[in-house]
Amino acid sequence: MQNYTTAKESAHIMEGEPISVLCTPALVLDVDKVKINAQKMIDRYQKLGVQLRPHMKTHKTLECADIMTGGSRRCIVVSTLAEACFYADHGFDDILYAYSVPFDKVERCAALSERLDLFQVLLDHPDALELLRKRPLRDGGQWHVWMKLDCGNGRAGVLHSEPGALRLAQDISETEGVELTGVYVHCGNTYSCRGVEQIHAVAQETIDLTLQFMEKLKAVGISCKSSIGSTPSCSHPVKDMAQLSEVHPGNYVFYDVQQSTIGSCSLEDVAVRVLTRVISHCPHRNQLLIDCGWTGISLDGAGKLPTGYAVIEGHPNLKLVSMTQEHGRVEPSSGQLDYSRYPLGSLLTLIPYHSCAAAAMHSVYHVHSGGRLVGKWMPTRGW
């Protein structure tokens, strides 16, 4: 009878081996960089006296959540109910589901609210509040609600300058069975910044508008928390951030090429890579073919980097010019390819434009320290 190696045995065998043994495309994480990035953010906000509520959306794993929370398994943000249930099932609590209450998922939100010590939801419309009012929690429990405020980001949230924003906050605080826990602001407009000075300017404006709104609440007798967040603004905090209750960045634990171009980090801080192999030479078009298509790294960034869709580490003259589902086309920025430098089967290392998008393409993250495998992290998936 043939003997088969179990997945557990295979994982054990591979520990300690170089990452080059992996089948490609493979997403690899430098666990030492992950820990450094996480600890820097923890230290930064302990010093400021502001609660760090790390976002799980980038990695969606238990191991990384433990690192980001310093092992407390408390005070996290999630972007999907799949994440919320995943973390709740593994002993996490004080979870904020920071996504405008989806009308088809109120029952699932209620179940989590009744099960956990603290499950919090977010809304930006009176109709969502009415849904919560119509679904009272058992045993006199309170819905813990954050109101999403738009202070220039231009995505979800009621606009800070609209009279309806203050009205909605008042309605939340006055609704039976509902508590206004806080005001939640995302300053994703920092993603258009270049350099720390621009990041500071956007963050300062966001904080000013948030604090002005908090003063409006105070004037009508409402007291609650305030939270802003984005990886750029939280990587380079301005002094007035100390006046907030919480911050909620997430991408910082991995970082990526996009964050390095914004000025949030240096390329050396990026903890994630996608390994790929050369599978064909195409001299008739001066290209290499690699085994990483958009299913391995995503199309995020639209190929606008000088190096195309990613940075090819150690090869500044190479450009990932296009991808199909399972193939990538690589060519030189100038001149003719020296194919002897890239034999078939040789390994290339891609630094992704957007780590959240690249991570979403993979069901397993291969974790290494100093280029030697130390384990696997399995993210949750779905919505």
Side-chain angles (χ1 to χ4, degrees):
M1 181 180 289
Q2 188 172 353
N3 291 322
Y4 292 94
T5 304
T6 67
K8 186 174 181 181
E9 288 168 339
S10 176
H12 178 72
I13 289 168
M14 293 183 72
E15 284 185 15
E17 294 197 60
I19 58 175
S20 58
V21 304
L22 294 168
C23 287
T24 52
L27 187 136
V28 294
L29 291 178
D30 185 328
V31 71
D32 302 310
K33 289 185 179 181
V34 166
K35 288 177 178 177
I36 289 168
N37 292 340
Q39 194 59 49
K40 280 183 178 178
M41 198 65 78
I42 290 169
D43 294 345
R44 194 173 285 138
Y45 287 95
Q46 280 182 345
K47 187 176 178 181
L48 273 179
V50 175
Q51 176 66 57
L52 173 65
R53 182 182 289 276
H55 211 308
M56 303 293 107
K57 69 182 183 67
T58 299
H59 60 90
K60 308 190 183 198
T61 65
L62 295 175
E63 295 88 348
C64 200
D66 269 334
I67 292 168
M68 293 172 86
T69 62
S72 72
R73 297 202 164 193
R74 294 293 181 274
C75 200
I76 63 171
V77 190
V78 298
S79 57
T80 68
L81 272 178
E83 292 166 55
C85 293
F86 175 70
Y87 288 112
D89 288 345
H90 289 89
F92 284 75
D93 213 317
D94 188 355
I95 299 171
L96 168 56
Y97 176 33
Y99 194 88
S100 301
V101 172
F103 283 38
D104 60 325
K105 300 179 180 70
V106 170
E107 271 306 314
R108 290 170 66 192
C109 288
L112 285 165
S113 295
E114 291 169 344
R115 169 185 167 191
L116 298 175
D117 287 341
L118 186 56
F119 180 73
Q120 302 159 86
V121 297
L122 180 146
L123 59 80
D124 62 3
H125 197 279
D127 288 358
L129 175 60
E130 180 63 14
L131 271 182
L132 301 186
R133 187 191 66 79
K134 288 180 176 178
R135 198 336 187 151
L137 300 178
R138 68 167 185 247
D139 302 325
Q142 296 271 307
W143 283 101
H144 298 278
V145 173
W146 289 73
M147 189 183 83
K148 184 67 177 284
L149 193 68
D150 182 355
C151 290
N153 183 45
R155 192 172 64 185
V158 56
L159 193 62
H160 67 94
S161 56
E162 287 289 325
L166 183 58
R167 267 201 311 273
L168 180 57
Q170 288 176 294
D171 289 344
I172 294 169
S173 65
E174 293 168 2
T175 298
E176 188 177 349
V178 177
E179 171 195 281
L180 179 62
T181 303
V183 173
Y184 188 97
V185 180
H186 178 52
C187 51
N189 40 338
T190 52
Y191 276 63
S192 62
C193 293
R194 291 295 179 271
V196 175
E197 189 176 335
Q198 289 184 19
I199 293 170
H200 279 171
V202 172
Q204 188 64 57
E205 181 183 28
T206 304
I207 292 165
D208 289 345
L209 294 174
T210 302
L211 294 175
Q212 287 168 23
F213 189 78
M214 301 309 291
E215 285 300 313
K216 290 180 185 178
L217 293 182
K218 190 176 176 182
V220 294
I222 297 174
S223 177
C224 66
K225 294 179 181 179
S226 56
S227 183
I228 79 158
S230 73
T231 282
S233 62
C234 292
S235 295
H236 298 290
V238 296
K239 188 174 72 172
D240 284 343
M241 222 171 237
Q243 298 184 57
L244 302 169
S245 310
E246 296 187 359
V247 290
H248 49 259
N251 173 280
Y252 70 92
V253 75
F254 287 176
Y255 283 128
D256 49 37
V257 175
Q258 181 185 31
Q259 294 293 344
S260 73
T261 61
I262 292 168
S264 308
C265 66
S266 70
L267 210 53
E268 289 70 37
D269 297 320
V270 181
V272 62
R273 303 286 190 276
V274 176
L275 302 183
T276 183
R277 283 188 167 85
V278 176
I279 58 169
S280 188
H281 291 165
C282 310
H284 56 289
R285 58 174 190 261
N286 197 30
Q287 288 183 341
L288 302 169
L289 206 58
I290 59 174
D291 66 357
C292 181
W294 54 258
T295 55
I297 200 166
S298 90
L299 290 169
D300 210 342
K304 293 178 182 176
L305 292 169
T307 52
Y309 285 89
V311 168
I312 303 178
E313 193 166 29
H315 299 278
N317 190 45
L318 291 185
K319 182 175 183 178
L320 179 55
V321 291
S322 67
M323 289 181 286
T324 54
Q325 186 167 339
E326 305 296 348
H327 297 82
R329 297 183 185 93
V330 174
E331 64 185 36
S333 300
S334 61
Q336 292 294 309
L337 271 175
D338 178 0
Y339 287 96
S340 67
R341 293 187 61 196
Y342 310 103
L344 298 188
S346 58
L347 205 62
L348 293 175
T349 302
L350 309 178
I351 311 178
Y353 174 80
H354 187 188
S355 61
C356 307
M361 302 289 106
H362 294 263
S363 58
V364 178
Y365 308 156
H366 299 277
V367 184
H368 72 92
S369 176
R372 295 275 170 180
L373 293 165
V374 296
K376 297 178 181 179
W377 293 354
M378 316 289 279
T380 191
R381 290 290 179 243
W383 292 271

